[in-house]
Amino acid sequence: MHRDVVRESYSARSQEYMDLFGSIDSTHPSDQALMASWATTLTGAVLDAGCGPGQWTDFLAQCGLVVSGIDLVPQFVERARVQYPDLSFEVGAFEALDAATESMGGVLSWYSLIHHNPHDIEVPIAEFARVIRPGGGLLVGFFNGATVEAFDHAATTGYRWSVAELSQVLVTAGFEVIETYTRTGSGYRPHGAIIARRRSGEDTPEIDG
Ligand SMILES: C[S@@+](CC[C@H](N)C(=O)[O-])C[C@H]1O[C@@H](n2cnc3c(N)ncnc32)[C@H](O)[C@@H]1O
C-alpha cells in the first residue's frame, strides 16, 4: 500500500529530516507570517494533519490555537511528544481521522499531501472536509508547478500541483478558496499554499486567486 511506502521512506530518514526541518527556525519567514495570519482566522480545535516532528503544530499553539498533530511516522510522533509535551500527537493516517464530523475549526496540511497519488487525492481532502465545520479553515502547503507532475523527492515520489488544479479539487470537495500564494527562489523548488474555507450547504462554489 502506498501509505506504507511513505511511512517506511520517512522512517528510514527520520533523523535526517528532523535535523534539517524539525525546527521552526528552519522554516521560511514568509511561511511563518502566512501561518500566523491564518491562525487569527480560526476558532476551535485545529489538526495538523501530517505534522512530521510537530514544529508547525507548536507554532500554531504559540499563536493561541488548540492544536494537535497526527502523522504516519512513529519517530516523528515520538519526537514531537518529547519536544512539545503539552500538545497531543498521535500516529495515524489522515484518510481516516479519529474526529467527529464538523468538529474541527481547521486543518493544516503542510506539505503532507505531496506524496499522495493525484488520482485519489480527493480521498484525504474529503476527510478534511468532513471534519472541518462549515466556515472552518484549511491551509494546504505544496510544491508548485505548471501542472500536476511527479518528481523525485528525497523520501519517495512527490507531486507538484498548479494552484488552479489543486484549488479545483478543494472546490469540488466543498471548500471556497480564499487566498493563494506561490514562492520561488534560487536553490529550492517553487512552493505554493492555498487557504480555503469549508462551505456550508447553502454556499455557492467559487474559485478565487
Ligand atoms: C514533507 S513531510 C511534512 C511534515 C510537516 N508537515 C512539516 O512541515 O515538516 C510530509 C509528512 O506527511 C506525512 N504523511 C504523508 N501521508 C500521510 C498520511 N496519509 N497520513 C498521515 N500523515 C501522512 C508524512 O509521514 C510526513 O511526515
Side-chain angles (χ1 to χ4, degrees), residues 10 17 50 55-56 71-73 76 92-95 110-112:
Y10 274 96
Y17 187 93
Q55 73 279 20
W56 285 115
D71 200 280
L72 282 180
V73 176
F76 288 161
F94 51 53
E95 288 86 349
W110 197 245
Y111 293 86
S112 57

Side-chain angles (χ1 to χ4, degrees), residues 141-164:
F142 57 99
F143 291 113
N144 184 223
T147 190
V148 183
E149 189 180 38
F151 67 92
D152 284 333
H153 182 278
T156 184
T157 304
Y159 296 90
R160 299 184 183 93
W161 282 82
S162 71
V163 169

Side-chain angles (χ1 to χ4, degrees), residues 19 38 54 60 67 84 89 92 98 117 121 126 151 153 169:
D19 290 346
W38 179 63
L60 291 175
V67 57
Y84 313 112
F89 295 94
D98 184 17
N117 193 313
I121 198 153
F151 67 92
H153 182 278
V169 176

Side-chain angles (χ1 to χ4, degrees), residues 69-92:
I70 67 145
D71 200 280
L72 282 180
V73 176
Q75 292 94 328
F76 288 161
V77 170
E78 279 162 31
R79 159 77 170 256
R81 285 175 175 159
V82 169
Q83 290 272 107
Y84 313 112
D86 295 339
L87 303 180
S88 164
F89 295 94
E90 298 294 336
V91 176

